Structures are given as C-alpha cells and as structure tokens.
Amino acid sequence: MKQRLVGFFDERMDLSALRRWAKEKSVPQHKHSFWYYFGGLALFLITLQIITGILLALYYSPNPAYAHESVKYVMETVKYGWLIRSIHFWGANFLVAVVFIHMFSTYFMKAYRKPREVMWILGVLILGLVLAFTFTGYLLPWTTLSYFATKVGVNTPSIMPILGRFITRIMEGGRDVGAATLTRMFTLHTVILPLLAVLLITLHVLLSQVFGSSVPLSQANKREAIKFFPNFLMRDAAVWAGGLAILLAMVTMFPAGLGPKVNPVMPAPVGIKPEWYFLFVFETLRRFPETIAIGTITLAVLVWLIVPFLDRRASRNQKSTFFTLFGAAVLVYMISMTILAYLTT
Amino acid sequence: MLLVIISLILVGTSANDSLAASIPSFAQRFNFTLPLIVVLLILMFFLLLKVYTRESQPSRSQKGISDSNVKGDGSKEKVREKV
C-alpha cells in the first residue's frame, strides 16, 4: 500500500529530489544539541494553537454583547469546550516560553552568524508575532481583567513621538476600547496575524532547510551528526509527545478560567498585572519615566534585531564575549524585572 | 513518565475547583486526560527506544559497506546507470 502510494506520487511528481534530501539531511550532534529541539517544539505548538483556535472560532462572537457569553458557552456547554479552550490558553503560554528559549539558545550559540542573519531576523519577528497573538487574543473573552489590561496595552504606544497616537487610534478604532477594538483584535488575531505568521514561519523553516543547523563555535571541531530522517524526526516526535503530555497535565490541573464580564463604566480594579511574558515591560514602565522606558525598549529591540550585523567577530567565526555578556545582561534584566513585578503589589 | 502522573495527582488534590458550575470536576477531567497522557508518554518512550536501538547499531561505514548502493534498511539497491 505504502509502496503504491509513493509510486503514485513518484510517477507524477518525481520525488527523487525529496528522497535525496531525506537521505542526506543530518543534524549535528554535540553537547549543546539539546537546544535544537525547541524550534520543532515551537512549530508543533503553533500547529496546536491553529487547530484549537479554529475550533474556538466556530463558537466565538466578536461583539461586546455576546463575546463573554460565547466563551462561557464554550466552557460550560460545548462538549470538551473546556478542554479545547484550556489547551489554547496553556498552549499560548508554553509557546511564548518555548519561543523565548529557542531565541536565547540561538543567541548564545551565536547561530545568527553568517549566513543565517535573515533567519535570525525572521525569528525575532516571529517572536513579536507570537506576543501580538497573545495580546490580541487577551481581549476576546471580554472580561474585566482583559478589558482594562488591553486598555493599558493599547495606550502604551501613545507615549511614543510621531506614530504613537496613530498606533493607539488604529488599535482602538475609536476614542476608547470598545466594540470596534474587539472587532479589530479579533480580525488581527484570526486573519492578519495568522497570514503573516504563515509567511514568516514558512520562510524561517525553508531557510533552516537550506542552511541546516548551526554548530556553536566551541563545538566546531566536532564532526558527529545523526540523520534527520528518521532519527532526529523520531526524537523530535518524542519531545512533542512529552510536551503535549505536560500541556494536558496543566489543562487538567488548572483549566482556563473566565473572569466576570466587563462593565466599562466601572473603575479599573486595583493591582491589574499583565501576563508573565509582558511583566518585564510593565515593570520597566512603572519604574522609569515612560518616554525613557519606551525609548530604551524600542532601541533594545532594534539592536536585538540587527545583532548579526553588529557582531562582526561571530561572523568571522571568532569568539565575541561582548555580545555574550550583552545577551546575558538582557536575560538577567528580563528575569529580575519579571520577579520584581510579581513581588510588588 | 510517573513524574507527570504523580504531580497531576498531588496538585490535583489541592486544585481550586471553583471555576464554573458546569465545567467538569477535577476527577472528571482527570479521568478523561489521564489515558491520553499515558498514551502520549508510552508513545514518547517507544520513539526514544526505537531511536536508541537504531543509533546503537554499528553504522554502515563501521561495517565496511559503501553508501553508494545500500538502502536505509541495509538491503542492496539496484544501481541505475544513466544511458
């Protein structure tokens, strides 16, 4: 059966190139190979988010009068609705964590160095998209917390000169967060961002096939490699199975909650905090003057984006201690600000 | 394998279950997801075992077999010549 199926496609499309690719593709093996699995895991989680997202969209109504009720209906009435929404909720959290780990491991292994500069830029943009997904999806349940957190979020860019107010107005779709904002967030979350994500992820994955996995400079003399097909793919699949098992365990223990429906006339509750992945930005904005905080974060993101072009030593396959320290400083800052935000009431 | 299941049971006993009246209770959720988790963990170990078995076999070069006409499963492949 398998032979006949392969023969069917081979006769029509000539799969010899694909067969050659599968036979020749290998993945380097060294003491840091562990980090290679996070890219595949991120791709797996994105697929899971797409599937659960489509299922949720079948019931969701992007209208302030029905949004909260439609999510409540999914959670309480739709068969296994609680499971699908909880997987989507926890999947988003896992995805952000996995993409962050993938990015920092790529950074510290200097995998952004020539010829993978474009891959790095695409990767950073994909992280931005993932965060945009979480931000736009946050308002959709139309709860008190999601409403007021989004209000803070959409107003943050207005501090920026020139384009700030324009960005805020575009996101709000009016003078305040309301029906237009909900429709815009829903459109962004389900149409615009997925289209962009498919484009960027496809390019990122294609480039990773062209260049293969990068070997860290410290392991450059190691020549060991394993075949991608089937050995590495089976290892990858084992990681996905383990990841999904942990995700299901979290879903069982802590299913996604649904707060009370928002009443926009009421004052914002005290002590609202964003999700864990935005806490370092939140704390930075709270501790420093807004203009300085926004300016510094924007500059840091730009530097992060073009780091392969700044780190000339890595491009020449030389150690670049300065950029390792820079990455470590960014990581320490993000973690410490997140902890501070958690501890501060 | 056991770690995930044990933590599930331990945390589950202290889980706050006051989400919504109609959401299945922890016991119901646990009964539904536990078989899935067990299947996934068995699949994970099966895959790892298969990889380990494949990788622990001596490679073709170690056996002294050339790569040119041997298929992935070790059988000889007909070498086609271009006319």
Side-chain angles (χ1 to χ4, degrees):
Chain A
M1 180 66 189
K2 189 184 154 193
Q3 286 294 325
R4 281 180 67 187
L5 200 69
V6 172
F8 175 85
F9 286 107
D10 203 7
E11 210 177 322
R12 284 152 183 85
M13 286 182 265
D14 185 21
L15 302 176
S16 57
L18 194 67
R19 216 175 286 127
R20 202 165 49 247
W21 168 84
K23 197 178 170 188
E24 285 171 6
K25 187 170 168 59
S26 62
V27 180
Q29 281 300 291
H30 46 78
K31 66 176 181 180
H32 302 303
S33 300
F34 166 76
W35 302 107
Y36 290 150
Y37 297 102
F38 285 92
L41 187 58
L43 199 59
F44 173 73
L45 288 170
I46 287 169
T47 313
L48 201 64
Q49 289 303 96
I50 293 170
I51 296 167
T52 51
I54 290 170
L55 291 173
L56 290 174
L58 295 175
Y59 292 95
Y60 182 72
S61 172
N63 180 320
Y66 306 110
H68 188 267
E69 278 70 15
S70 64
V71 179
K72 200 166 185 265
Y73 181 75
V74 167
M75 289 296 285
E76 296 181 358
T77 312
V78 176
K79 209 165 189 181
Y80 304 119
W82 64 271
L83 181 73
I84 300 299
R85 183 164 173 257
S86 301
I87 291 177
H88 198 71
F89 170 80
W90 277 109
N93 281 278
F94 274 40
L95 179 61
V96 174
V98 166
V99 174
F100 263 117
I101 294 170
H102 183 48
M103 185 184 72
F104 275 104
S105 62
T106 304
Y107 182 92
F108 287 117
M109 289 198 287
K110 305 287 163 70
Y112 54 69
R113 67 188 192 274
K114 195 178 170 186
R116 296 180 179 79
E117 296 97 328
V118 178
M119 255 181 92
W120 168 263
I121 292 172
L122 287 169
V124 176
L125 292 177
I126 291 168
L127 170 68
L129 272 183
V130 168
L131 292 176
F133 265 114
T134 62
F135 180 71
T136 52
Y138 200 66
L139 180 69
L140 303 188
W142 203 245
T143 60
T144 306
L145 190 65
S146 71
Y147 177 86
F148 287 105
T150 305
K151 208 167 175 171
V152 175
V154 295
N155 276 309
T156 306
S158 66
I159 305 157
M160 286 197 300
I162 310 165
L163 282 174
R165 290 208 65 78
F166 175 73
I167 295 169
T168 297
R169 186 56 66 88
I170 286 286
M171 283 198 286
E172 279 181 340
R175 288 183 180 279
D176 202 356
V177 173
T181 324
L182 185 62
T183 318
R184 286 178 186 215
M185 291 295 173
F186 180 69
T187 313
L188 276 166
H189 193 74
T190 56
V191 182
I192 299 166
L193 293 178
L195 284 174
L196 279 171
V198 167
L199 178 73
L200 295 187
I201 293 167
T202 306
L203 285 171
H204 190 72
V205 172
L206 274 177
L207 286 178
S208 77
Q209 299 310 312
V210 171
F211 297 125
S213 304
S214 166
V215 179
L217 291 171
S218 61
Q219 307 295 312
N221 54 348
K222 300 267 166 49
R223 288 281 171 265
E224 274 179 51
I226 58 164
K227 277 184 172 286
F228 177 81
F229 189 83
N231 294 31
F232 188 79
L233 199 61
M234 279 203 285
R235 285 174 178 222
D236 242 354
V239 171
W240 301 344
L244 189 56
I246 297 169
L247 187 64
L248 282 175
M250 295 301 284
V251 164
T252 313
M253 289 185 285
F254 314 105
L258 181 67
K261 185 179 177 177
V262 66
N263 181 358
V265 187
M266 296 290 281
V270 187
I272 282 189
K273 282 179 187 173
E275 290 292 295
W276 62 269
Y277 35 83
F278 285 127
L279 278 180
F280 75 97
V281 178
F282 171 76
E283 194 60 22
T284 307
L285 285 167
R286 203 162 62 168
R287 287 188 179 263
F288 302 100
E290 283 177 333
T291 323
I292 293 171
I294 288 283
T296 313
I297 291 170
T298 312
L299 191 69
V301 170
L302 286 175
V303 170
W304 198 252
L305 199 64
I306 59 164
V307 90
F309 303 101
L310 301 174
D311 189 359
R312 305 311 304 165
R313 287 180 65 85
S315 305
R316 294 194 294 266
N317 288 340
Q318 293 169 338
K319 275 193 171 180
S320 52
T321 318
F322 173 78
F323 282 93
T324 308
L325 290 174
F326 174 68
V330 170
L331 189 60
V332 167
Y333 178 81
M334 285 170 74
I335 293 171
S336 50
M337 277 295 173
T338 304
I339 294 169
L340 270 176
Y342 257 117
L343 296 177
T344 323
T345 47
Chain B
M1 184 171 176
L2 280 173
L3 201 69
V4 173
I5 298 167
I6 291 168
S7 62
L8 197 64
I9 295 165
L10 285 177
V11 182
T13 48
S14 59
N16 179 11
D17 235 8
S18 58
L19 285 159
S22 311
I23 294 178
S25 66
F26 174 76
Q28 288 169 307
R29 297 197 301 268
F30 182 71
N31 285 343
F32 178 76
T33 51
L34 187 68
L36 287 175
I37 292 170
V38 171
V39 167
L40 284 166
L41 292 176
I42 290 171
L43 177 69
M44 187 179 95
F45 279 91
F46 169 75
L47 286 164
L48 289 176
L49 192 71
K50 205 159 161 60
V51 171
Y52 177 76
T53 318
R54 284 183 73 93
E55 288 175 4
S56 58
Q57 283 171 350
S59 68
R60 279 168 281 167
S61 58
Q62 281 171 306
K63 284 181 190 165
I65 302 168
S66 138
D67 257 6
S68 58
N69 62 344
V70 178
K71 284 202 283 189
D73 58 2
S75 61
K76 291 261 178 180
E77 189 179 44
K78 280 182 187 170
V79 180
R80 275 187 220 155
E81 282 180 8
K82 280 187 180 173
V83 182

